[in-house]
Amino acid sequence: MRGVPSLGFCLMDRREFIKACTVVALMQVLWGCRRLPDFSGAKVPEIAEFEREVRLALSRAKGAFDLVQVPMPGPLEVHGASPVNRFGMAIDLDACDGCGKCILACMQENNIPLSSKGERDAGRFMHWIEMHGGAPAMCFHCGNAPCEKVCPTGAASHTPDGLSTMMYKRCTGSRFCGANCPVGARKFNYVDSVKEGLARKFNPEVPLRSKGVMEKCSLCLQRLQDHKHAQMATRPGVEWRGSGLKTACSEACPKNAIIFGNWLDQDSPLVQEAKHRNLYVPREIANLDPSVVYMRGRR
């Protein structure tokens, strides 16, 4: 992982020690304590295979959501929530052309495996982003997330900064969270993707998940952590707001239709754009305080 400090604690000052502990904790969240997949002798798919699968998924896009208008997200109403940070996204329906570049970028950033032939034939994909009516949809990172309430192990949890996350080391594959997601944003790993030759490690900072765990959009948690640690190292004492940060999908969008930012920062591009637009979410989650919204029109 970039910027991971040496674990020779006796050589560290207090600030470096705290930073190292934070990074180790993040690695536990992302990597977990399950046995990591072994690449030795496994077939690694070509990039072209991922591109073909995205095109196939686009040809089988799901129907559009029934959208309802909502106000701009505000502070999270959960215990321990940050008073200054709540990260999320707005997807501009007036700009998005459904090209699918966000899906491919997400797969590469987060090492999302190809789907098995049986799943593809059934129109199911491991993609964390799917097209609904020509618009990208992922986990909406609800502030009042129903998935988190039914997880028996605490694997599905919320960060103070507004991210609905997965701790893979705790996930036992009950799939309760997936059943309780109103928009079906969570995906279950039914197969050993490495053994089946479906996985490729594009990004060394993100682990390959093992068979039997739930996966979902993390709003590129690893990017947020890298950005935060970089600021801690270069601008100690300055409050971190995530300024200038982008997710893989927002970075890859050729139409700039996906805007990532901090809902509690008035200078964030997300707030600056969203305050002039009409905001919408799927009807099923309108009362769940989502951090990811759609926007169209102007006010």
Side-chain angles (χ1 to χ4, degrees), residues 146-194:
C147 54
E148 297 169 12
K149 296 177 180 180
V150 297
C151 178
T153 64
S157 60
H158 226 78
T159 73
D161 293 330
L163 278 63
S164 179
T165 61
M166 274 300 300
M167 294 184 69
Y168 298 118
K169 69 175 182 178
R170 290 185 179 179
C171 182
T172 57
S174 70
R175 290 179 281 169
F176 293 162
C177 60
N180 219 37
C181 175
V183 293
R186 289 172 172 267
K187 303 299 178 70
F188 185 71
N189 246 323
Y190 284 99
V191 301
D192 185 332
S193 58
V194 172

Side-chain angles (χ1 to χ4, degrees), residues 51 84 99 164 168 215 240 246 265 271 290:
E51 295 171 341
V84 295
C99 70
S164 179
Y168 298 118
E215 300 190 14
W240 179 68
K246 289 187 176 184
D265 180 1
V271 174

Side-chain angles (χ1 to χ4, degrees), residues 8 32 204 208:
L208 295 170

Side-chain angles (χ1 to χ4, degrees), residues 72-73 86-92 219 242-245 250 257-277 279 290-295 299:
M72 186 183 298
R86 181 182 182 175
F87 295 103
M89 293 194 298
I91 300 166
D92 190 344
L219 282 181
S243 178
L245 184 62
S250 64
I258 303 176
I259 303 176
F260 175 82
N262 185 348
W263 287 116
L264 304 186
D265 180 1
Q266 292 302 307
D267 295 326
S268 171
L270 176 63
V271 174
Q272 289 296 309
E273 180 63 22
K275 68 183 180 181
H276 300 297
R277 311 292 297 276
L279 307 182
S291 294
V292 176
V293 303
Y294 296 105
M295 60 185 179
R299 295 193 273 129

Side-chain angles (χ1 to χ4, degrees), residues 15 18-19 22 227-237:
R15 188 177 69 186
I18 293 173
K19 180 180 175 182
T22 302
H227 192 274
K228 185 174 185 177
H229 294 150
Q231 179 174 307
M232 289 170 58
T234 59
R235 302 172 64 196

Side-chain angles (χ1 to χ4, degrees), residues 5-136:
S6 165
L7 297 184
F9 294 139
C10 61
L11 301 179
M12 291 183 177
D13 61 20
R14 182 173 179 274
R15 188 177 69 186
E16 287 300 311
F17 175 77
I18 293 173
K19 180 180 175 182
C21 290
T22 302
V23 174
V24 170
L26 169 66
M27 291 172 68
Q28 289 179 334
V29 171
L30 292 177
W31 289 70
C33 61
R34 291 170 174 261
R35 171 178 284 183
L36 297 178
D38 181 8
F39 258 126
S40 57
K43 171 185 174 292
V44 178
E46 299 293 330
I47 294 178
E49 295 181 64
F50 291 85
E51 295 171 341
R52 283 195 294 270
E53 182 170 285
V54 170
R55 289 195 293 270
L56 177 61
L58 292 177
S59 72
R60 299 180 179 181
K62 298 181 179 181
F65 286 123
D66 178 16
L67 300 179
V68 295
Q69 194 165 355
V70 293
M72 186 183 298
L76 282 172
E77 297 182 3
V78 296
H79 179 71
S82 168
V84 295
N85 293 329
R86 181 182 182 175
F87 295 103
M89 293 194 298
I91 300 166
D92 190 344
L93 298 180
D94 294 336
C96 177
D97 62 4
C99 70
K101 287 183 172 62
C102 56
I103 300 176
L104 183 61
C106 177
M107 294 184 77
Q108 294 177 328
E109 172 72 20
N110 296 291
N111 298 326
I112 298 171
L114 296 170
S115 304
S116 66
K117 183 179 185 303
E119 291 293 287
R120 291 196 304 270
D121 290 346
R124 295 188 292 265
F125 302 90
M126 281 300 296
H127 307 164
W128 292 1
I129 301 176
E130 295 184 301
M131 287 293 168
H132 281 255

